[in-house]
Amino acid sequence: VRVPFALLKKNASAATRAFVSHQLLMASLPAYVAEDKRYDYVWVIEEDAKLAQGSWDQLFRKFNSSQADLIAHIRRTRNGMAALLPVARLSTRLIRAIRRDLARIDNRERGAPRRRIHGAFSYQLCRGRSWCATEAIPREWLPPPRPQ
């Protein structure tokens, strides 16, 4: 899915604009991906993402049978634990939960998350749901993250 950043920034909700700074691909997934019953999981891979070792085929095979809702490089940041999403697999139920929480934030609903939206958002949302499981892509498979 390719969505020009300027167009997304112009037409997006406030929550999506904030979310986009760290998770452009996640936020730009078409709604049908989350709603279509044919999809259980979606791999989100930035076009410039690289593996430090192994091949894409090995990565996909390693996690093919995983039931985890979020598979990503998980690490501690200044905002707490975060899932870095240059290469990640998300379940469609997690994508729906993210979309619901972003809508609640954008509508300023009572009880909506109040914290800033940053790279830890998807991970923290998942960890806060009893149904949501995470699995880490081994650190050695991915190059060091780019400085923010």
Side-chain angles (χ1 to χ4, degrees), residues 64-123:
N64 189 47
S65 63
S66 174
Q67 298 296 305
D69 294 280
L70 175 63
I71 297 172
H73 174 57
I74 298 170
R75 71 180 185 117
R76 180 169 301 285
T77 69
R78 66 175 179 227
N79 294 313
M81 296 302 289
L84 304 182
L85 299 184
V87 177
R89 192 191 80 175
L90 297 97
S91 69
T92 51
R93 69 179 174 171
L94 177 57
I95 293 169
R96 288 190 296 272
I98 290 168
R99 287 183 177 278
R100 279 192 300 271
D101 271 17
L102 289 176
R104 291 177 61 218
I105 292 167
D106 201 42
N107 295 329
R108 298 185 177 156
E109 289 180 18
R110 188 179 186 121
R114 293 178 183 245
R115 62 183 177 266
R116 283 182 35 239
I117 300 171
H118 47 71
F121 184 76
S122 298
Y123 179 81

Side-chain angles (χ1 to χ4, degrees), residues 130-142:
S130 61
W131 53 262
C132 195
T134 62
E135 194 169 342
I137 295 174
R139 173 180 285 173
E140 61 273 8
W141 282 45
L142 301 172

Side-chain angles (χ1 to χ4, degrees), residues 24-45:
L24 176 60
L25 292 174
M26 201 16 245
S28 65
L29 281 172
Y32 74 83
V33 170
E35 302 306 328
D36 193 317
K37 303 297 183 211
R38 290 179 293 174
Y39 304 106
D40 293 324
Y41 302 98
V42 176
W43 279 98
V44 178
I45 302 170

